Amino acid sequence: MTDPALPARHDFLRRHNFGLVLTTIAARGPLSRAQLAVDTGLTKATVSQLAERLVSCGLVRELEPARGAVGRPGSPLELDRKGIVGLGVEIAADYLAVCAADLSGAVVIHRVEGRDNRGAAPSAVIDRVAALVHAVREDLQATGRSALGVSVAVPGLVEGGHTVRLAPNLPGWTDLPLAAHLSVALATQLPIEAENEANLAALAELWYGIATDLDFIHVSGEIGVGGGVVVDGAVFRGVRGFAGELGHVTVDPAGPLCGCGSTGCLEQYAGQDALLRAAGVTGDSSTRDGDPNGPLRELVSRAEAGDERTTAALDAAGRAIGLAVAAVVNILDVPTVVLGGIYAPLAQWLVAPVEAELRLRALANRWDPVTVLVSTLGTQAAVRGAAGVCVDRVLRDPVSYFPVLQLG
Amino acid sequence: MTDPALPARHDFLRRHNFGLVLTTIAARGPLSRAQLAVDTGLTKATVSQLAERLVSCGLVRELEPARGAVGRPGSPLELDRKGIVGLGVEIAADYLAVCAADLSGAVVIHRVEGRDNRGAAPSAVIDRVAALVHAVREDLQATGRSALGVSVAVPGLVEGGHTVRLAPNLPGWTDLPLAAHLSVALATQLPIEAENEANLAALAELWYGIATDLDFIHVSGEIGVGGGVVVDGAVFRGVRGFAGELGHVTVDPAGPLCGCGSTGCLEQYAGQDALLRAAGVTGDSSTRDGDPNGPLRELVSRAEAGDERTTAALDAAGRAIGLAVAAVVNILDVPTVVLGGIYAPLAQWLVAPVEAELRLRALANRWDPVTVLVSTLGTQAAVRGAAGVCVDRVLRDPVSYFPVLQLG
DNA sequence: AGCTTAAGTTCGACAGCCAAACTAACCGGC
DNA sequence: GCCGGTTAGTTTGGCTGTCGAACTTAAGCT
């Protein structure tokens, strides 16, 4: 929010402090004005003034005074969970999902619709997304809530938060101005943005999952393999926003040819299809219109039964993941790895080889071992992250959504 | 400088705008107050007020009015190059270097001393550094200049800007509070900080070298191999500040054992010693106290003569670098690679294999090819970057160095 | 010389924070 | 049941630092 190339004027102070108060409430739960003053470093007078406006905008709600202690009881302020929500959308290869989250991040509505998006034209998919979002907005209106933004998770490279450059598993999705199209299809002025699903899944893990307050890389196994790096509470997006293509990091230059044209990519060892093939599970996941998780469940049950071919495949995949992640750790110095997507249910066979490779190859591992965690959000991570992004923006800079805060 | 967790008070405005004015002058050369007002977005009144104080602190200097145009001529303001300087120190495996840079980044003093630091105790090295710095400070005093900070480049992992956790090519340099030791040895209150040499070299390339205003990864070849990632004008340091250990990224899991305990590290293919060994150049660079660049020069002349063993070694090193950098590009999405350190004089043999591997392995390379540049600063990059860091801090936040600015 | 143009300064208005005094609400002891 | 002690929240006045506009300064041009 603070651009060092921009002049700092008076209104910046208000703007910054509104965000400070809101994020403090979000992080530490309901707090009285007095406690907020202590926690933020502002004076009681300032907090009171800011709080009054936040309440009148419907962002914050005053609870009943908490009695019991000596002195006048304070009235705790909490995020108003009844008013505005953020909308998250996920466009996956084989389903669509929409999710509404209130200011606290709690899920209000969550809908998933199985669908083959690989065989459909982008415009048809966008129309279906618009219909789903429209239905969700109507239901929200019935409970008196309204959305203030839409964020879309896409399994591909997204440029500038609006355009899909390339989505390897969604044929036809190249150089597509998704945000603009969806804006037209929805016939709305709502801010709409798109983002890589791996990055959003990582944020969900940060905000609502296993990795609260950590710096980590979230490895999401799907048909491809994505990586979302979170440092200091924010995703590292890279220059053009294409960061995180872990699936095409070279694990062994002498390895098999990959669809991307290179050799020995991680995806060829630990991608869902490669894993199934190596374990000898039949039924390519891409040709099924039925339960997309069937082959994965088969893999898990074979591993549980101790099938040697399966456990060997998982061990090889784990070592490949460990090698690629070790490179990330060496280059980016992240102390934690979160295994997500299909790796979550397979974690018990993956964690040991991943850790072994990290011990061997990650330089910083010696005096400060890299922690390997398992995702708790599973396939819901990306949508929840998307909805969370909308909410997070409001909390950090409410003035940009409610200009009234700045006036009168 | 702006911590979203801290309250914004009035003094922040001044602080920010002082930095804004200084960095604008630094970036666009001498500017009149009126032009500064346009460029920064502040009003003429505010700029005048800020400028007056910057001049009285010796940070900025008013030039003679530039005549020739219609209207009252403006008095250009430029950074005062006569007063304060930043000091940079580099502790390499086989030499020490000290550099003083004025506010514009221009080198005032630059001294290099060949020395085997691998065989010496850390305390002996620190004493020698202190002596060198002391001598430079005396010479500076003779010209009326004074240092306002020391920044030390170290070929290893530096934690929190003060402690060397591990330096693979400097035996004994583990868990060493370098900043504190140097502070004692120098008997000074000057702010002293330590930083990885690869990161500082990257910054030098950004500020004074080939990569002005770019986002890039700087690969610095020395005894080890370092990588410094610059995005948005800042080095990506990672969580604990250990980012950039490119030398120990695995190039081939079946490759040779490395001193770090892992196998197939980049350093084993493209580190200076490995390169000399593969080319068959005798004379280990670590045992010479004379010209540290002797073996390197020998390598270059053999390559120029077309010696096949040498060119084959360089080609293999280039491919290894390309493979490791491709991983970085996939994970971080940096569009430019700068070859620095010993790779600069060797670039004509390295660029082709590096580019070939990037074409093969970097996913984003297809529609937006990665540019490979050659450092213009060579082995001077790290020291100059170190000196530059001191200068940069002052320009960004002069109030922290001159509290007077904030008062009266 | 006098007009035009542009740079830089001065001055009053205004926004937004802080500090401190003040009011409000609750507890507990007598 | 009242009164002091304690903590919460509000009100008031002061201060800082920006902006905008009027003003002064210093040139070139006719």
Side-chain angles (χ1 to χ4, degrees):
Chain A
M1 193 182 107
T2 320
D3 189 336
L6 255 39
R9 293 200 241 285
H10 257 105
D11 59 316
F12 167 82
L13 301 180
R14 264 282 151 95
R15 223 172 149 151
H16 177 96
N17 290 335
F18 270 129
L20 177 61
V21 168
L22 275 180
T23 52
T24 305
I25 296 176
R28 301 184 215 180
L31 295 172
S32 68
R33 290 165 177 79
Q35 193 56 51
L36 267 173
V38 173
D39 285 15
T40 59
L42 296 163
T43 59
K44 285 192 297 176
T46 305
V47 170
S48 273
Q49 212 177 111
L50 296 173
E52 192 193 330
R53 297 188 185 203
L54 289 172
V55 169
S56 74
C57 268
L59 284 163
V60 160
R61 201 163 84 85
E62 192 163 349
L63 302 178
E64 285 308 299
R67 296 149 150 267
V70 198
R72 173 175 170 180
S75 310
L77 300 172
E78 70 162 12
L79 297 176
D80 191 331
R81 302 173 53 165
K82 293 282 158 56
I84 58 184
V85 296
L87 286 183
V89 173
E90 181 179 4
I91 300 175
D94 48 0
Y95 65 89
L96 295 177
V98 180
C99 167
D102 66 30
L103 281 183
S104 76
V107 174
V108 176
I109 301 182
H110 183 211
R111 283 176 201 160
V112 184
E113 179 180 286
R115 235 186 92 91
D116 178 24
N117 294 321
R118 283 183 274 200
S123 64
V125 176
I126 290 170
D127 286 345
R128 187 63 200 142
V129 166
L132 281 171
V133 170
H134 189 71
V136 167
R137 289 188 73 186
E138 289 203 328
D139 290 1
L140 285 169
Q141 209 162 18
T143 64
R145 294 183 226 244
S146 68
L148 39 60
V150 181
S151 182
V152 186
V154 183
L157 304 182
V158 180
E159 190 164 352
H162 48 75
T163 302
V164 178
R165 269 282 163 262
L166 176 72
N169 294 305
L170 288 175
W173 290 66
T174 43
D175 302 325
L176 187 79
L178 176 59
H181 282 350
L182 195 53
S183 192
V184 171
L186 276 172
T188 178
Q189 299 297 321
L190 279 185
I192 298 180
E193 63 181 323
E195 172 66 271
N196 178 279
E197 67 73 36
N199 287 343
L200 293 172
L203 285 173
E205 224 51 72
L206 171 74
W207 290 326
Y208 318 122
I210 193 82
T212 311
D213 276 332
L214 296 178
D215 299 292
F216 63 96
I217 175 167
H218 179 260
V219 184
S220 65
E222 305 288 342
I223 309 292
V225 181
V229 177
V230 172
V231 172
D232 263 342
V235 162
F236 186 85
R237 285 193 169 72
V239 177
R240 294 160 299 192
F242 301 164
E245 279 307 311
L246 200 64
H248 297 279
V249 167
T250 305
V251 166
D252 181 353
L257 193 69
C258 176
C260 77
S262 179
T263 58
C265 292
L266 174 60
E267 204 164 297
Q268 295 303 312
Y269 298 85
Q272 179 172 316
D273 288 350
L275 204 47
L276 292 175
R277 210 162 37 241
V281 176
T282 53
D284 182 352
S285 58
S286 69
T287 58
R288 294 200 171 197
D289 261 5
D291 177 8
N293 290 325
L296 177 59
R297 263 202 279 278
E298 171 69 18
L299 192 70
V300 173
S301 63
R302 284 197 198 188
E304 275 169 349
D307 175 61
E308 274 190 27
R309 189 168 169 195
T310 302
T311 53
L314 286 169
D315 189 69
R319 276 185 285 118
I321 294 169
L323 193 143
V325 167
V328 178
V329 170
N330 280 327
I331 295 163
L332 291 185
D333 179 36
V334 269
T336 309
V337 177
V338 178
L339 297 178
I342 66 164
Y343 300 144
L346 297 169
Q348 67 178 106
W349 300 279
L350 293 172
V351 169
V354 168
E355 283 180 339
E357 289 293 316
L358 282 169
R359 259 195 307 279
L360 181 66
R361 305 190 185 279
L363 208 56
N365 196 75
R366 290 187 211 160
W367 63 92
D368 202 353
V370 177
T371 311
V372 179
L373 300 175
V374 180
S375 161
T376 52
L377 298 171
T379 51
Q380 291 190 14
V383 222
R384 292 204 55 191
V389 161
C390 300
V391 170
D392 186 58
R393 285 202 201 298
V394 185
L395 296 182
R396 274 193 220 274
D397 184 18
V399 173
S400 69
Y401 288 82
F402 297 88
V404 203
L405 286 169
Q406 197 75 260
L407 314 169
Chain B
M1 192 182 109
T2 321
D3 189 336
L6 254 40
R9 292 200 243 284
H10 258 103
D11 60 315
F12 167 82
L13 300 180
R14 265 280 151 95
R15 223 171 149 152
H16 176 96
N17 290 335
F18 269 129
L20 176 61
V21 168
L22 274 181
T23 51
T24 304
I25 296 175
R28 303 185 215 182
L31 295 171
S32 68
R33 290 167 178 79
Q35 193 56 51
L36 268 172
V38 173
D39 286 15
T40 59
L42 297 164
T43 58
K44 286 192 295 176
T46 305
V47 170
S48 273
Q49 211 178 116
L50 296 173
E52 192 194 330
R53 300 190 184 201
L54 289 173
V55 170
S56 74
C57 267
L59 283 162
V60 160
R61 202 163 83 83
E62 192 163 350
L63 303 178
E64 284 308 297
R67 294 149 148 268
V70 200
R72 174 176 171 179
S75 309
L77 301 172
E78 71 163 11
L79 296 177
D80 192 331
R81 303 173 51 167
K82 293 280 158 56
I84 56 184
V85 297
L87 286 184
V89 174
E90 181 180 3
I91 300 175
D94 49 0
Y95 65 90
L96 295 176
V98 180
C99 167
D102 67 29
L103 280 184
S104 76
V107 174
V108 176
I109 301 182
H110 183 211
R111 283 175 202 160
V112 184
E113 178 179 284
R115 235 187 92 90
D116 177 25
N117 293 320
R118 282 183 277 200
S123 64
V125 176
I126 290 171
D127 286 346
R128 187 65 200 140
V129 166
L132 281 171
V133 170
H134 190 72
V136 167
R137 289 188 73 185
E138 289 203 329
D139 291 1
L140 284 169
Q141 209 162 18
T143 63
R145 293 184 227 246
S146 68
L148 39 63
V150 182
S151 182
V152 187
V154 182
L157 305 183
V158 180
E159 188 164 354
H162 48 76
T163 302
V164 178
R165 270 283 164 259
L166 175 72
N169 293 303
L170 289 176
W173 290 65
T174 44
D175 302 324
L176 187 79
L178 175 59
H181 282 349
L182 194 53
S183 193
V184 171
L186 276 171
T188 178
Q189 299 295 322
L190 279 186
I192 299 180
E193 62 180 323
E195 172 66 273
N196 177 279
E197 68 70 37
N199 286 343
L200 294 171
L203 285 172
E205 223 53 69
L206 172 74
W207 291 325
Y208 318 121
I210 193 83
T212 312
D213 277 332
L214 295 179
D215 299 293
F216 63 96
I217 174 165
H218 178 260
V219 184
S220 67
E222 305 286 342
I223 308 295
V225 181
V229 177
V230 173
V231 173
D232 263 343
V235 161
F236 185 86
R237 284 194 168 73
V239 178
R240 293 158 299 192
F242 302 163
E245 277 308 311
L246 200 64
H248 297 279
V249 166
T250 305
V251 166
D252 182 352
L257 193 70
C258 176
C260 78
S262 180
T263 59
C265 293
L266 173 61
E267 202 165 299
Q268 296 303 312
Y269 299 85
Q272 179 171 316
D273 287 350
L275 205 46
L276 293 175
R277 210 162 37 241
V281 176
T282 54
D284 181 352
S285 58
S286 71
T287 56
R288 296 197 171 195
D289 261 8
D291 177 9
N293 290 326
L296 179 59
R297 264 202 279 276
E298 171 69 15
L299 191 71
V300 172
S301 61
R302 284 197 198 190
E304 276 168 348
D307 175 61
E308 273 190 30
R309 188 168 169 196
T310 302
T311 53
L314 286 170
D315 189 69
R319 277 185 284 118
I321 294 169
L323 193 143
V325 168
V328 178
V329 170
N330 280 327
I331 295 163
L332 291 185
D333 178 38
V334 269
T336 311
V337 177
V338 178
L339 296 177
I342 66 164
Y343 300 144
L346 297 170
Q348 66 178 109
W349 298 279
L350 292 172
V351 170
V354 168
E355 282 181 339
E357 289 293 316
L358 282 170
R359 259 196 307 279
L360 182 66
R361 304 189 186 280
L363 204 58
N365 196 72
R366 287 183 216 165
W367 63 91
D368 202 352
V370 177
T371 311
V372 178
L373 300 175
V374 180
S375 162
T376 51
L377 300 171
T379 51
Q380 292 189 14
V383 224
R384 292 205 54 192
V389 160
C390 300
V391 170
D392 186 58
R393 285 202 201 297
V394 185
L395 296 181
R396 274 193 221 273
D397 184 20
V399 173
S400 69
Y401 288 82
F402 296 88
V404 202
L405 286 168
Q406 196 75 262
L407 314 171

